[in-house]
């Protein structure tokens, strides 16, 4: 039998450097993929939170408008039932609108200063009429315009899945 020759392996820089470079490139690619997946996940959670708050805002404004529907019915207790319920929905809507603006920016604001002022003035018109024992005809007219404005906002600023769209 012939003696077997031993192969003497030496670490050659021409072989090691490309292998190390390939390994570093592979690690960088994996890290970029991990960071991209995490960023995408965070972006999705961010959008889901915005959509959830926006949906609650939609519900409060929708119920604000629907609560007003009974104002023209004979025997409706405007002062004791309808207006307090409307105020509750409106107050909740203002808080949610402010939260959306603080978290996501002015582009997502639904209730601008003009709309808020008009609704506040309509509530005040009812309060003044009740305090003076006067007719609520003007107050009903003002609030009707406000409710129509809010309904218009809901149809123009929300998509079919009740997601608030930026301006």
């Amino acid at each position: 039998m012939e003696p077997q020759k031993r192969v003497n392996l030496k670490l050659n820089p021409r072989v090691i450097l490309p292998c190390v470079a390939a390994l570093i490139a592979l690690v960088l690619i994996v890290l970029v993929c991990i960071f991209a997946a995490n960023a995408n996940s965070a972006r999705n959670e961010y959008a889901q939170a915005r959509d959830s708050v926006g949906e609650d805002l939609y519900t409060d404004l929708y119920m604000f408008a629907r609560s007003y529907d009974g104002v023209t019915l004979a025997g409706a207790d405007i002062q004791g039932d309808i207006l307090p319920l409307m105020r509750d929905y409106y107050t909740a809507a203002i808080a949610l609108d402010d939260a959306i603006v603080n978290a996501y920016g002015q582009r997502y604001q639904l209730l601008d200063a003009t709309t808020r002022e008009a609704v506040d003035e309509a509530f005040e018109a009812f309060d003044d009429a009740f305090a003076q024992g006067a007719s609520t005809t003007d107050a009903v007219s003002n609030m009707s315009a406000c409710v129509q404005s809010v309904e218009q906002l809901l149809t123009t600023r929300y998509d079919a899945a009740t997601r608030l769209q930026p301006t």
Side-chain angles (χ1 to χ4, degrees):
M1 278 205 178
E2 272 183 51
Q4 291 184 347
K5 286 189 179 180
R6 237 179 186 197
V7 177
N8 193 3
L9 293 176
K10 290 186 180 176
L11 298 176
N12 187 344
R14 281 188 240 162
V15 173
I16 292 176
L17 287 177
C19 289
V20 168
L23 182 63
I24 290 172
L26 180 64
V27 168
L28 288 175
I29 289 170
V30 169
L31 287 175
V32 165
C33 290
I34 289 171
F35 289 133
N38 286 342
N40 191 36
S41 175
R43 210 172 10 260
N44 288 340
E45 288 178 22
Y46 184 77
Q48 286 175 342
R50 183 190 63 235
D51 291 343
S52 177
V53 173
E55 194 173 300
D56 290 344
L57 174 59
Y58 178 92
T59 300
D60 284 334
L61 288 174
Y62 179 82
M63 292 307 297
F64 166 80
R66 294 300 61 86
S67 299
Y68 185 70
D69 288 345
V71 79
T72 58
L73 297 176
D77 186 4
I78 297 171
Q79 187 175 12
D81 289 334
I82 294 174
L83 287 179
L85 187 59
M86 287 179 70
R87 281 184 207 268
D88 290 344
Y89 286 122
Y90 179 68
T91 301
I94 294 263
L96 289 170
D97 193 50
D98 289 345
I100 285 176
V101 170
N102 288 334
Y104 305 105
Q106 284 297 124
R107 296 175 349 133
Y108 287 94
Q109 183 177 31
L110 190 64
L111 301 171
D112 61 8
T114 305
T115 303
R116 290 181 185 201
E117 186 177 319
V119 172
D120 289 339
E121 287 175 1
F123 277 124
E124 287 177 25
F126 273 109
D127 292 341
D128 292 345
F130 292 138
Q132 298 169 5
S135 171
T136 58
T137 304
D138 290 339
V140 168
S141 177
N142 291 345
M143 187 61 81
S144 295
C146 292
V147 168
Q148 287 175 351
S149 174
V150 166
E151 288 173 335
Q152 182 66 29
L153 281 173
L154 294 179
T155 59
T156 58
R157 292 289 307 279
Y158 280 87
D159 65 9
T162 64
R163 288 185 301 247
L164 178 60
Q165 302 301 306
T167 56

